[in-house]
Amino acid sequence: MSGNADSPVVITRHAALGYEGGVVLGNLEFEIPAGARVGVLGPNGGGKTTLFRALQGEIEPLAGKLEVNASCATVQQTDRSRLDYPVSALDVATMGTLAGLPWWKRPGRAEKRKAREALAMVGLEEHARDHFGSLSGGQRQRVLIARTLTSGANLLLMDEPFTGLDAPSEALLESLIDRLAGDGKTIMIATHEVEQASRWDLVLCLNKTQISFGRPAEALSRPVLEATYGGHIVEIPGQPELGVLPAHHHHHDGEPEEANR
Ligand SMILES: Nc1ncnc2c1ncn2[C@@H]1O[C@H](COP(=O)(O)OP(=O)(O)OP(=O)(O)O)[C@@H](O)[C@H]1O
Ligand SMILES: [Mg+2]
């Protein structure tokens, strides 16, 4: 990692992000220390993916400063992978090593070994030879995380990695995140689950602007959640029980609202 161990991995100052049409996420003002697990909360369209794209260097800030002092890798939102494409879990994990190779080199023994180690790290060494498309959603998610590990990235951006996972897969992924952070990786996780984010080190609440940032105990207040979610109940498709209920609302099992993606 560049910079010394004490310097923040991400620094934003009055940063505004957006596209040709204008700013979609303004007022960013936060610093993230190495090894933190950061929950990124916000409604659909709140700006979570836009923030990740800026951190990954895909888009430049429209204003202000956004500094990333680490190599960065993203596990993208929803698995849009070609499931019919003939690659193994090991092949996918190996792809993370490509950026570190000269253009004329193909991955060799050393790269395959790295990939196997990364698959072991995410608990999938037994599945190295399995066709990527034949794995479960939770296993594919972990293969994609293995790919970020072989790339050597220190800042991992996970864009709604829990979507569609059952409870055991979710628990596995949560403990993997804990382990990686314990190893010094900085991890930002976009999620719709407030309760889950409250167990991590920091939370960043976004709704077109930065609503709050800090330790969950301070940054997740009732007014913050209302400003973040606009007083609406946010539900994950197919998992209404994991919905976010801002204060005033009692838990109920109504029909899940369709997420507008
Ligand atoms: N390529 C683009 N060009 C123009 N506007 C965009 C582009 N991508 C996203 N936006 C707009 O930016 C805003 C923030 O979108 P973004 O995808 O960052 O939200 P999000 O918090 O990730 O939402 P979700 O929970 O649905 O994934 C939205 O209003 C969206 O329409
Ligand atoms: Mg998104």
Side-chain angles (χ1 to χ4, degrees), residues 19 24 43-50 53 77 160 192 261:
Y19 304 92
V24 299
N44 293 135
K48 303 179 295 296
T49 298
T50 299
R53 293 188 63 193
Q77 183 169 17
E160 301 192 27
H192 287 280
R261 290 195 194 287

Side-chain angles (χ1 to χ4, degrees), residues 17-25 40-53 59 77 159-160 190-192 206 208 259-261:
L17 309 178
Y19 304 92
E20 301 209 331
V23 172
V24 299
L25 178 60
V40 180
L41 294 169
N44 293 135
K48 303 179 295 296
T49 298
T50 299
L51 172 63
F52 284 1
R53 293 188 63 193
I59 57 173
Q77 183 169 17
D159 202 347
E160 301 192 27
T191 180
H192 287 280
L206 305 174
K208 299 188 165 69
N260 40 13
R261 290 195 194 287

Side-chain angles (χ1 to χ4, degrees), residues 91-111:
D91 293 332
V92 174
T94 305
M95 285 170 199
T97 65
L98 290 177
L101 285 175
W103 63 265
W104 45 268
K105 267 207 153 170
R106 289 201 292 179
R109 274 178 178 285
E111 286 73 32

Side-chain angles (χ1 to χ4, degrees), residues 113-192:
R113 179 161 33 77
K114 256 196 196 172
R116 282 187 189 283
E117 282 167 10
L119 287 176
M121 180 77 186
V122 302
L124 289 174
E125 62 268 66
E126 312 277 276
H127 293 276
R129 291 274 151 220
D130 289 9
H131 186 260
F132 181 72
S134 74
L135 299 173
S136 74
Q139 291 171 330
R140 286 200 302 272
Q141 197 70 260
R142 284 186 282 140
V143 172
L144 295 176
I145 291 170
R147 185 176 67 165
T148 69
L149 298 180
T150 59
S151 78
N154 292 312
L155 172 61
L156 309 185
L157 309 176
M158 302 187 187
D159 202 347
E160 301 192 27
F162 292 95
T163 303
L165 298 197
D166 60 16
S169 303
E170 184 170 321
L172 265 175
L173 183 51
E174 282 203 30
S175 66
L176 175 59
I177 287 170
D178 294 348
R179 213 147 23 92
L180 294 174
D183 286 349
K185 303 279 185 191
T186 308
I187 311 175
M188 299 178 72
I189 312 115
T191 180
H192 287 280

